[in-house]
Amino acid sequence: MLQQIQIMAQLLRSCRHLIFASMMICMLSFVLVLFTEMNTWVSAIFFILTIILIIMQLYLNIRIRFDAEILQKLADHPMSDLEQQTQSLDTALVTLKFMPEMKQGRLWSQRLQGCVRLVRWHIGLLLLQFLVLVSIVIERTFL
């Protein structure tokens, strides 16, 4: 299990490049929306979509970085302490209201699947941002 935790921590840390790509797409979208002649309501829709998507990306980035740090700290300790560390982690997260009480005591396989879901959401939102950017270019160029 320790090896899986280390690998997941590395995967989550590698997502830092996704937020950079997301920011670049966001900036390009803003520039195109603000400095091109488009229908006002179309510009407003693209602007609002871009803001919503970047806020969601920033939230996911914070969650992913947080999880990466926690996983790395757990992976740095011997396997014999993992169960005790997991209980301490769950208690701290519930106390801080970062996790509902009903999620305490989950298996590590479930926790790691949750991390993979976060990464998939991050990639999916990046693709949506790219789609919005392409839509802005098409709207600007052809309509």
Side-chain angles (χ1 to χ4, degrees):
M1 184 55 63
L2 183 61
Q3 188 69 29
Q4 292 172 342
I5 291 172
Q6 288 173 333
I7 290 169
M8 186 57 67
Q10 182 59 39
L11 172 67
L12 296 178
R13 279 194 308 274
S14 70
C15 287
R16 68 182 177 275
H17 302 294
L18 293 177
I19 195 65
F20 177 75
S22 177
M23 289 294 192
M24 296 309 297
I25 291 172
C26 176
M27 290 301 131
L28 276 169
S29 296
F30 281 143
V31 167
L32 288 174
V33 166
L34 294 175
F35 297 111
T36 60
E37 294 181 25
M38 278 195 277
N39 189 332
T40 306
W41 68 271
V42 173
S43 293
I45 289 171
F46 283 134
F47 191 78
I48 291 168
L49 272 174
T50 301
I51 289 174
I52 289 170
L53 288 172
I54 197 62
I55 288 171
M56 292 172 73
Q57 283 284 34
L58 290 171
Y59 170 76
L60 280 173
N61 185 57
I62 290 168
R63 278 290 314 274
I64 286 171
R65 291 179 116 188
F66 181 76
D67 287 359
E69 290 295 321
I70 288 174
L71 291 177
Q72 190 58 55
K73 288 191 185 320
L74 288 170
D76 289 341
H77 295 305
M79 189 61 167
S80 60
D81 295 334
L82 185 60
E83 189 173 324
Q84 181 185 1
Q85 290 175 343
T86 302
Q87 289 173 352
S88 296
L89 174 65
D90 284 353
T91 302
L93 291 173
V94 167
T95 301
L96 294 170
K97 307 264 190 259
F98 288 169
M99 182 175 79
E101 283 186 48
M102 64 183 216
K103 286 192 171 186
Q104 275 185 306
R106 287 181 297 159
L107 299 174
W108 270 102
S109 60
Q110 293 171 315
R111 295 168 192 259
L112 297 178
Q113 286 174 348
C115 291
V116 170
R117 267 193 306 275
L118 285 176
V119 172
R120 287 183 180 152
W121 269 98
H122 206 15
I123 292 169
L125 287 174
L126 183 63
L127 292 174
L128 275 175
Q129 281 183 293
F130 186 72
L131 183 64
V132 168
L133 177 62
V134 169
S135 299
I136 292 169
V137 170
I138 289 171
E139 170 69 23
R140 182 179 162 263
T141 306
F142 298 111
L143 302 177

